[in-house]
Amino acid sequence: MIFIHKSILYKLLFFAVILFGFSVNAQVLRKRTTLLMGGRFDITIVAKDSLSAEQNIDEVIAEITRIENLISDWKPNSQVSQVNQNAGIKPIKVDREVFELTQRAIQFSEATKGGFDVSFAAMDRIWKFDGSMTEMPSAEAIKKSVEKVGYKNIILDSVQSTIFLKLKGMKIGFGALGEGYATDKCRNMMLAKGIKAGIVNGSGDMTAWGRQPNGKDWNIGMTNPFHPDTLFAVVPLNNGAVTTSGSYEKFVVFDGKRYSHIINPATGYPATGLCSVSVFGPNAETANGLSTSLMVLGKKEGLLLLKKYPDYSCVMITDNGKLVKSKNFKIKKFKAKL
């Protein structure tokens, strides 16, 4: 049985990889699509022959599965689930890898002043985006929905490598970082093995390195949120990451105002103003956290946050169809049409 992870709700705008041509030189390209971490992964590897490419895809899948078994909060035996099950009871010792991922997530929570919060998994799901909700939840219900959310109540012990959630009912989750983290790990693993080109795309959290067998950059097609069957831009990419957060498929409208399925964990209210944010940079984990945070914070506050991360740039699409690029956006061949 396949379970769909909650994180799929946070990334509904997917990237399409456009592969132009296969090479006549010694390298070959192989691609495989599978379900991992509750969502779709597209894995592309360029290697010296088909057998090597397929074997390396197998290794990538094994690595993602290993990470999933560590951090997926919907797998009852994962270390993160053990932390959640013992909230308010006792600290849980975790692998250093899980500890450091949690540490970075808390630092991100601090940087966004709670706009991103690794403990969002404890939020009550009072907003419904399946057409069944006919009126907004009350202010009291919204406030109550986030009473167990709060990264400041996560206690880390670096010496013992333990995580303790102070309040019963608290939970941590890596729906907004996990896929990006996994794609980064796989890229680094492949580079260490001498695989000089490939793409790992986890539900829109994508990292690419090297070039296609014909020597050209990878070309990333970005879905038009207003016309999902078309692309609004094609972006050349090599040796970098791009992630996106979008809300064009799941939202509600009350009194003419559009409310996204992406919820601000600090307030319990849905994000408004933006229907898509794509972030470009060297690291998919960080880009993932930024794209989610910018959706929550909105255009003005989001661009201010991005200034703290000068290696990262973004493209935003507002609810009314305006395209906004950060000042440091430098992809020269970027052409967009909504």
Side-chain angles (χ1 to χ4, degrees), residues 77 289 312:
N77 295 321
Y312 294 81

Side-chain angles (χ1 to χ4, degrees), residues 57 149 160 203 264 308:
I57 290 175
V149 177
Q160 299 297 323
S203 300
N264 184 334
K308 299 178 181 178

Side-chain angles (χ1 to χ4, degrees), residues 296-315:
V296 168
L297 296 175
K299 182 179 74 172
K300 183 179 178 181
E301 293 298 320
L303 291 174
L304 286 174
L305 171 67
L306 199 63
K307 288 183 178 180
K308 299 178 181 178
Y309 299 84
D311 292 334
Y312 294 81
S313 60
C314 79
V315 174

Side-chain angles (χ1 to χ4, degrees), residues 41-43 60 64 183 186 198-202 205-207 209:
F41 268 77
D42 297 293
I43 303 160
V60 167
I64 298 168
T183 63
C186 292
I199 297 177
V200 183
N201 177 10
D205 293 342
M206 179 184 299
T207 185
W209 67 101

